Amino acid sequence: QENPKVDLCSLIRDGDEDLRVITVWGESSDDIGMISAIQEIYDSTIVNCSFGFRAWVTLVHPFDPKEFIRNLVRQFYENCPEKLEENHKRKTIGASVYMMMESMTQREITEVFDTHVSENSYLIVIDDLETVMEWNCIKKYFPNNKKGSRIIVSTRQFKIASMCAEKPSQVPELKQLLPSH
């Protein structure tokens, strides 16, 4: 809490090849200030050029591993439309991804996910983490592939944020903005 205004961009782009988990906490995961700060980094061209793919998942409670993986794979394809199979290319990316995902088995979805997180750098935002048990389950899906991958976790609880982050400096608290801001 001594340094609540840590620069998320510099934490993400620090050059370290190891997987890095950065947690952001605030009074409410619905806090527009917290979400917009993360969204600004997530959408940044500078940050996106550093990663093979990216995804943003707002957790469903209770945690559903199948839906979690499915959501990530859907976003991998939406963010990299050139990876869609030729027979699934349609006029809209969303419809193409939907049709392809409908025809895939859970095993195929899992294989696509494993390939992506093993062979590429990735930026994943996990929004609304509520429990340590959720985190213990989620972190097992992401290998340290030594490609500079990053996971940003948002939570309402400092204790959860502290347990997810590797270093105390990676747990910035985003103060709620005044209504006029």
Side-chain angles (χ1 to χ4, degrees):
Q1 285 183 312
E2 293 173 16
N3 187 10
K5 293 187 178 184
V6 174
D7 181 4
L8 285 176
C9 190
S10 65
L11 284 175
I12 291 169
R13 299 190 68 226
D14 71 355
D16 189 353
E17 292 184 358
D18 284 331
L19 172 63
R20 171 91 19 104
V21 177
I22 303 161
T23 59
V24 180
W25 73 283
E27 291 179 17
S28 168
S29 63
D30 297 333
D31 180 3
I32 193 71
M34 184 165 76
I35 298 301
S36 63
I38 297 170
Q39 186 77 47
E40 184 178 337
I41 297 300
Y42 182 79
D43 290 337
S44 165
T45 304
I46 295 169
V47 169
N48 287 327
C49 291
S50 304
F51 299 98
F53 62 86
R54 65 193 175 106
W56 182 306
V57 178
T58 299
L59 293 181
V60 176
H61 306 288
F63 178 68
D64 180 353
K66 286 182 183 178
E67 190 57 34
F68 180 73
I69 298 297
R70 185 181 243 339
N71 193 342
L72 290 167
V73 170
R74 178 186 54 78
Q75 290 183 64
F76 298 159
Y77 282 120
E78 287 174 350
N79 292 329
C80 296
E82 65 277 1
K83 304 240 188 232
L84 291 171
E85 295 174 17
E86 191 61 41
N87 61 344
H88 288 290
K89 289 187 178 179
R90 306 236 191 291
K91 291 183 180 180
T92 65
I93 299 297
S96 299
V97 172
Y98 173 78
M99 291 300 296
M100 187 176 70
M101 297 282 300
E102 283 295 304
S103 65
M104 293 174 76
T105 65
Q106 190 63 41
R107 174 183 224 113
E108 291 169 327
I109 290 169
T110 302
E111 288 172 5
V112 168
F113 175 79
D114 283 343
T115 299
H116 275 75
V117 297
S118 297
E119 297 177 2
N120 297 286
S121 63
Y122 51 84
L123 172 63
I124 307 294
V125 175
I126 300 171
D127 184 30
D128 199 21
L129 184 72
E130 288 187 351
T131 68
V132 174
M133 289 190 325
E134 286 177 340
W135 176 243
N136 288 337
C137 183
I138 290 168
K139 71 181 179 182
K140 293 175 184 167
Y141 290 107
F142 298 101
N144 184 0
N145 60 12
K146 303 287 187 182
K147 296 187 183 285
S149 298
R150 301 291 182 261
I151 299 173
I152 300 173
V153 177
S154 75
T155 181
R156 287 177 260 154
Q157 303 172 44
F158 179 72
K159 182 178 178 181
I160 303 292
S162 297
M163 295 179 93
C164 295
E166 299 154 352
K167 299 176 183 175
S169 65
Q170 291 177 265
V171 188
E173 177 187 13
L174 296 180
K175 302 286 186 184
Q176 186 171 4
L177 299 175
L178 297 173
S180 61
H181 294 105

